[in-house]
Every structure is written in C-alpha cells, then in structure tokens.
C-alpha cells in the first residue's frame, strides 16, 4: 500500500482567526506531505508491511526492522497524527461542546469539561520541545474498566504505539504542539495557541472517536 496525502475536510482559511490560513497551507501541503513521502520511501523495500494500514503500522512500530524503525516511527506517526488532527478540527461556527456518552465520560473522569481542558492545556504546554497532547480512552487490563486520560507524547509518537509510549489507548482528541503548527501566528506563545484551539475542536468527530473505541 502506498500512502497519500488526505484532502482536508474544509478550506485552508476555514479555521480563521484561530489557526491562520498560511500555517494551515504549509502544515498540510509541506509538513504532512513530507511524512507521507518518507513513510512510503521507508517501506518500499519491505513488502510485508505494504498491506497494512497506517493505524496498524503505528500499532506495530516497536516490531519493525531496526533499519527502518526510526523512519517508520517518525513518519508513520507523523502521517497518522496529522490525518487524525485535520478531522478533529472544524470551522469555528460549527463547533459546540462534547455531548452524549463522551460528555458523560468526561464528567465522570475529570469532574467537568473545564477541568478536562485545564489538564489537557497543562499537558500540551508542558510538553518539552515538539510533540502532541492527547485525550485518550484507556482500558485497565486487570478490571476491563475504561477511562479517559490526558497524556502527551514527544515528536510524532502517539498512544497507538504499544511498547513505545507511557499511555497506550485510543485517541479521542489530539493537539499538535510542534512550532510549525502555530509559530507564524503565535510565535513563542504556545499557551495562547492551545487556548485558541478549543474554538475549532470538532466535538462531533470526538464523539464518534469515543463511540467507536
């Protein structure tokens, strides 16, 4: 399987004024395209991986051959993370708040939506260097209980990567805190970018992610 750059479900200017048009254009057509090109190149001599989807490759990243392990982890992660990220955002006029089962789970595990956002913002701001912040649904293997948890990962790691990350689970929300995601508009003001991002969160998609998990 050869991976390709997914189309955005909205225009490059659709997230204004919270995420600027130039950043979205460069982020999608340059940064994400590079991850796609590099994961395809890394796998071209390994036909045993050609039949796997990008989610499966991320889940198996700890078991790929040493010669391509770093390239697959960085670029396979980059491709999956960004494909997920585009869908979890929407036009500011279309975003509301969590509802249904997701809202109930947030209230149960964090006390309130505002409390969840506060913990998420703290994790995103504290991630040193480049990385991601995540709202993840995790399963306790001993009890079978599922709960929402906040975590962050370095570089292009994500919670699908078993044996690699501290918290493994199903991503419900994810925020890119690499500087290329915000620097043109926010410069070094990462907390301001994090706060603004909630205005473009696609809660309907987040709810679907939760319900499918």
């Amino acid at each position: 399987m050869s991976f390709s750059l997914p189309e955005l479900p909205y225009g490059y200017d659709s997230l204004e004024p919270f995420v600027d048009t130039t950043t979205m254009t460069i982020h999608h057509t340059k940064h994400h395209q590079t991850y796609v090109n590099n994961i395809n190149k890394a796998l071209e001599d390994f036909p045993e991986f050609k039949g796997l989807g990008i989610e499966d490759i991320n889940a198996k990243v700890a078991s790929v051959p040493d010669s391509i392990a770093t390239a697959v982890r960085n670029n396979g992660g980059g491709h999956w993370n960004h494909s997920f990220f585009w869908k979890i955002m929407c036009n500011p006029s279309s975003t509301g708040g969590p509802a249904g089962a997701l809202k109930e789970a947030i209230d149960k595990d964090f006390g309130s939506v505002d409390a969840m956002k506060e913990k998420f913002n703290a994790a995103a701001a504290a991630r040193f260097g480049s990385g991601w912040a995540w709202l993840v649904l995790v399963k306790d293997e001993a009890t079978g209980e599922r709960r929402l948890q906040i975590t962050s990962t370095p570089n292009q790691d994500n919670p699908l990567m078993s044996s690699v990350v501290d918290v493994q689970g199903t991503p419900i929300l994810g925020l890119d805190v690499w500087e290329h995601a915000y620097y043109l508009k926010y410069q070094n003001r990462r907390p301001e970018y994090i706060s603004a991002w909630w205005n473009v969160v696609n809660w309907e998609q987040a709810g679907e992610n939760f319900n499918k998990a």
Side-chain angles (χ1 to χ4, degrees), residues 100-113:
L102 176 57
K103 172 67 161 55
E104 292 175 7
I106 290 172
D107 289 343
K108 176 177 72 71
D109 293 327
F110 298 100
S112 69
V113 174

Side-chain angles (χ1 to χ4, degrees), residues 39-207:
I39 186 62
N40 285 334
K41 188 175 190 317
L43 297 177
E44 62 186 4
D45 294 326
F46 295 85
E48 63 269 32
F49 293 101
K50 293 284 181 70
L52 296 178
I54 195 62
E55 184 167 333
D56 294 325
I57 288 173
N58 275 260
K60 298 176 183 294
V61 72
S63 61
V64 302
D66 290 344
S67 61
I68 58 170
T70 299
V72 170
R73 181 173 174 176
N74 290 340
N75 296 287
H79 179 33
W80 188 89
N81 291 353
H82 286 84
S83 298
F84 179 88
F85 186 49
W86 309 138
K87 291 189 290 186
I88 207 65
M89 297 188 290
C90 64
N91 185 283
S93 65
S94 302
T95 189
L102 176 57
K103 172 67 161 55
E104 292 175 7
I106 290 172
D107 289 343
K108 176 177 72 71
D109 293 327
F110 298 100
S112 69
V113 174
D114 285 343
M116 182 275 292
K117 287 182 177 181
E118 183 177 349
K119 290 185 177 182
F120 187 100
N121 291 358
R127 168 47 58 188
F128 182 77
S130 301
W132 293 73
W134 306 94
L135 175 66
V136 185
L137 186 64
V138 300
K139 181 178 180 180
D140 187 313
E141 295 300 331
T143 65
E145 180 184 3
R146 302 197 310 167
R147 69 184 186 282
L148 290 170
Q149 188 170 336
I150 302 294
T151 189
S152 72
T153 54
N155 302 316
Q156 295 296 347
D157 289 356
N158 62 58
L160 301 176
M161 296 179 174
S162 60
S163 304
V164 169
V165 293
D166 295 331
V167 177
Q168 181 186 357
T170 302
I172 307 301
L173 289 175
L175 174 60
D176 188 347
V177 293
W178 283 63
E179 286 189 343
H180 66 234
Y182 64 87
Y183 204 83
L184 290 179
K185 182 175 179 67
Y186 296 97
Q187 290 82 50
N188 63 331
R189 304 187 307 276
R190 184 193 285 186
E192 186 179 335
Y193 158 68
I194 296 166
S195 179
W197 178 73
W198 292 106
N199 292 285
V200 296
V201 168
N202 185 340
W203 285 108
E204 183 176 348
Q205 181 63 56

Side-chain angles (χ1 to χ4, degrees), residues 12 20-30:
Y12 290 118
D20 65 280
T21 303
T22 303
T23 292
M24 281 299 300
T25 303
I26 296 171
H27 200 172
H28 180 247
T29 65
K30 303 299 183 184

